[in-house]
Amino acid sequence: MPLYISREDAGYLGGAVPILVLVSTEPVERLPIFQLDAGRPLPCEGWQILAGLTVSVVDGPDGSGIFVEGVVRPEEAEERLAWLEAMDQAGGAVVLVVDSHVPVDNWTALADGGKARGGFVPMVHRTD
């Protein structure tokens, strides 16, 4: 059953590879523990992200996944569109699920702590 994350518990961080930070004390079935290889997040095999303005879905294997509530105010749209463009350029995003609202700027500490889940998740390529 997919996990629901409210917009207050979702953070969209920019950069060369955008980051989607999700706060949840609920377990995320089948999402791997966050690990690094030469300083880069490992890919989440079997997962993909479909991100949009009003909703994002991180889809995993065997019916597992995460439903993320999107923007609700027009003034949020410009920032989210920039994040979506960065995700298009990177081909996906790093998805991190943490259990509290903590800074996520130290990936090594997150990986060493063993509590964070996630990694690089490729995007679903849409066809119009």
Side-chain angles (χ1 to χ4, degrees):
M1 179 169 169
L3 178 66
Y4 173 82
I5 302 288
S6 69
R7 61 188 288 284
E8 293 81 16
D9 289 328
Y12 295 81
L13 306 176
V17 178
I19 305 167
L20 175 58
V21 180
L22 305 171
V23 178
S24 175
T25 57
E26 297 291 320
V28 183
E29 297 176 12
R30 302 192 187 327
L31 189 64
I33 292 178
F34 183 70
Q35 296 180 9
L36 300 174
D37 181 19
R40 298 180 63 172
L42 291 176
C44 293
E45 297 296 327
W47 289 80
Q48 58 187 356
I49 183 170
L50 176 59
L53 281 176
T54 58
V55 68
S56 294
V57 176
V58 185
D59 188 38
D62 299 325
S64 56
I66 307 166
F67 181 89
V68 184
E69 187 179 31
V71 299
V72 294
R73 295 187 309 264
E75 58 270 16
E76 298 172 313
E78 188 174 323
E79 186 176 323
R80 185 63 49 82
L81 286 170
W83 188 88
L84 291 168
E85 178 63 30
M87 193 183 79
D88 279 344
Q89 291 177 5
V94 172
V95 175
L96 283 172
V97 179
V98 294
D99 62 3
S100 63
H101 292 271
V102 297
V104 295
D105 54 352
N106 187 337
W107 284 0
T108 302
L110 286 170
D112 289 346
K115 289 173 118 181
R117 294 194 166 269
F120 182 79
V121 178
M123 66 182 282
V124 172
H125 293 282
R126 300 179 214 189
T127 56
D128 294 330

